[in-house]
Amino acid sequence: MVAFMDYGKDDIARPAAIPGWSEIDYSTGNSAAGHFWMNQAALNPAQFQDYRQVLNMREATLTTRYRYLDHGRSTRIEVTTFVSQASTHLAATQISLTPDFDGTVELSFALNLWAPYQPRCRSPS
C-alpha cells in the first residue's frame, strides 16, 4: 500500500502501520520434544531439505519447494506466488502442505505489522 497515511489530533502525519498479508506458519503439532512452529526454526540443512525455486517469467510465478523435518516428522511444502503486472494491486499465494505422517497439523495466518510500533510525536504547542 502506498500513501496510506495516519493522522492524529495534534500530531504529524505518518505512514499508517498496516499488517503484512503473507505470513503463513506451520506446525506438525505436539511431540515428545515440545510444540514448534516452522517460522521459528533455524534455517539449516537438517530441517529444510530438497530446496528448489523456479521463477516462471511467462506465467509470472515464483514456486518454492522443500521438505521440512520436525522431530522425525517430514512435510513436503510448495508455495507458488503470482504478481500481476497488468493489475498492480493483484497478487496471490498458493500453498500446498503434504505431511508424510499421521497426526494433527496446525496453520497460523498472522497479521503482523511490517515495522515495529513507533511512538507518536506531539507537535510543539
Side-chain angles (χ1 to χ4, degrees), residues 9-59:
K9 187 178 184 306
D10 299 325
D11 198 2
I12 60 172
R14 70 188 75 244
I18 57 174
W21 58 272
S22 61
E23 181 177 328
I24 301 170
D25 208 350
Y26 171 74
S27 172
T28 59
N30 290 323
S31 70
H35 188 191
F36 304 95
W37 289 93
M38 182 176 67
N39 290 355
Q40 296 171 358
L43 291 177
N44 64 56
Q47 283 188 278
F48 296 91
Q49 299 180 357
D50 305 327
Y51 180 87
R52 301 283 182 270
Q53 197 169 56
V54 175
L55 175 62
N56 184 324
M57 298 294 283
R58 183 176 302 270
E59 295 179 6

Side-chain angles (χ1 to χ4, degrees), residues 48-55 62-67 77-79:
F48 296 91
Q49 299 180 357
D50 305 327
Y51 180 87
R52 301 283 182 270
Q53 197 169 56
V54 175
L55 175 62
L62 177 66
T63 301
T64 305
R65 295 179 183 96
Y66 55 94
R67 192 161 52 99
I77 297 174
E78 181 175 314
V79 179

Side-chain angles (χ1 to χ4, degrees), residues 53-116:
Q53 197 169 56
V54 175
L55 175 62
N56 184 324
M57 298 294 283
R58 183 176 302 270
E59 295 179 6
T61 60
L62 177 66
T63 301
T64 305
R65 295 179 183 96
Y66 55 94
R67 192 161 52 99
Y68 171 62
L69 287 115
D70 178 29
H71 297 88
R73 298 174 180 168
S74 175
T75 304
R76 288 174 297 181
I77 297 174
E78 181 175 314
V79 179
T80 301
T81 302
F82 165 81
V83 177
S84 174
Q85 184 175 3
S87 180
T88 57
H89 297 288
L90 177 63
T93 298
Q94 176 182 333
I95 185 168
S96 172
L97 303 165
T98 308
D100 293 328
F101 62 92
D102 291 332
T104 301
V105 299
E106 295 178 59
L107 294 173
S108 171
F109 300 89
L111 293 176
N112 297 321
L113 294 179
W114 287 107

